[in-house]
Structure formats: C-alpha cells, structure tokens
Amino acid sequence: MKVKVTSIPVLNQEKALQFYTEKLGFLKKVDVPLSEHSRWLTVVSKEEQNGVEILLEPAPNHFEPAKVYQKALFDSGIPYTQFSSDNVQQDYDRLVKLGVDFSVKPTSMGTVKIAVFNDTCGNNIQIVEML
C-alpha cells in the first residue's frame, strides 16, 4: 500500500484553494464537482507533482463530532497536519510577507525546527525541517 491522497477539512473550499495555491505555492491537481456545495478538489506540491495529493475536503457541517474535533484542535493550537520544509526560517519569512499568521515562530526542538500557521480554513498547519 501507499498513500495517494490525504485530506484536510476546510471550512470553504474556494478560500482554501486560494490559500493553498497563492500563499503556500501548491498546484491544483484535480477539481471535480460532486454536488452543488462540494467538489473533489486536490492540490499537490510543486516539487512533487506526482506525489501525495491533499484533498481540500469540505468540513462536514452535518457531522457534529468532526466539527467539534476540528475546532478543538484549532482552539488548542494543535496542528491538524504537518508539511516538510527544507528551510523553515526561509518558508516562515516568505509566508509572513504574504500575510500568513503564525502562532509558533520558527523554533528548534532537538533534531527538528518547526513553525505553526493558520491556514485560514479552520486548521493549524505545522511545517517541519529535519536538522
């Protein structure tokens, strides 16, 4: 087995697509309408265009436990997921210039350096650099 797609719940797919492409630099990979209010919408890293796709999945408003879980993670400052970075400080500096809000500035923690930002779609996302 291998990972082909992983999902991140987002409060608004269009806003998420703009953030993940315009701010983070991902590329839109698949965009297929599923219903009037949702679509199969994935993005990929520019560096690994055939790599793992991130499904920008509509947060399940009709499923209360998922809403509670996503909000609890966000309110606690816990990242929903993490992305690898070759240089956290450089990515932090670039993203701050683009107006991205960080709750944790670049911080060394043993063998890694991390930073955590708000994806504007209901999630904290951590970037990690292996030192």
Side-chain angles (χ1 to χ4, degrees):
M1 283 191 258
K2 62 182 178 179
V3 177
K4 177 66 178 157
V5 177
T6 190
S7 64
I8 295 176
V10 297
L11 301 174
N12 179 304
Q13 283 186 301
E14 191 57 39
K15 183 177 178 183
L17 179 61
Q18 289 174 2
F19 181 84
Y20 279 77
T21 57
E22 295 173 12
K23 304 282 185 174
L24 300 185
F26 287 93
L27 301 173
K28 181 168 64 170
K29 178 86 173 196
V30 178
D31 190 352
V32 177
L34 297 176
S35 72
E36 183 180 339
H37 301 290
S38 70
R39 53 209 237 222
W40 184 266
L41 178 61
T42 68
V43 295
V44 293
S45 168
K46 282 183 184 177
E47 292 83 17
E48 294 184 6
Q49 294 181 31
N50 292 317
V52 175
E53 296 176 43
I54 300 169
L55 174 62
L56 301 175
E57 187 166 11
N61 292 324
H62 60 281
F63 188 58
E64 193 63 25
K67 285 175 29 180
V68 170
Y69 176 70
Q70 183 182 13
K71 185 172 179 354
L73 284 178
F74 184 82
D75 290 347
S76 297
I78 297 171
Y80 186 86
T81 195
Q82 65 184 17
F83 301 143
S84 178
S85 169
D86 291 332
N87 187 319
V88 165
Q89 185 65 53
Q90 184 178 4
D91 285 333
Y92 170 83
D93 292 341
R94 179 181 66 81
L95 292 171
V96 165
K97 287 179 185 173
L98 293 172
V100 175
D101 181 37
F102 279 79
S103 58
V104 176
K105 295 179 180 179
T107 304
S108 293
M109 303 179 90
T111 60
V112 298
K113 183 181 282 187
I114 67 156
V116 179
F117 63 86
N118 176 346
D119 77 351
T120 72
C121 306
N123 306 292
N124 294 301
I125 305 293
Q126 180 170 277
I127 53 176
V128 179
E129 172 187 354
M130 302 303 289
L131 299 175

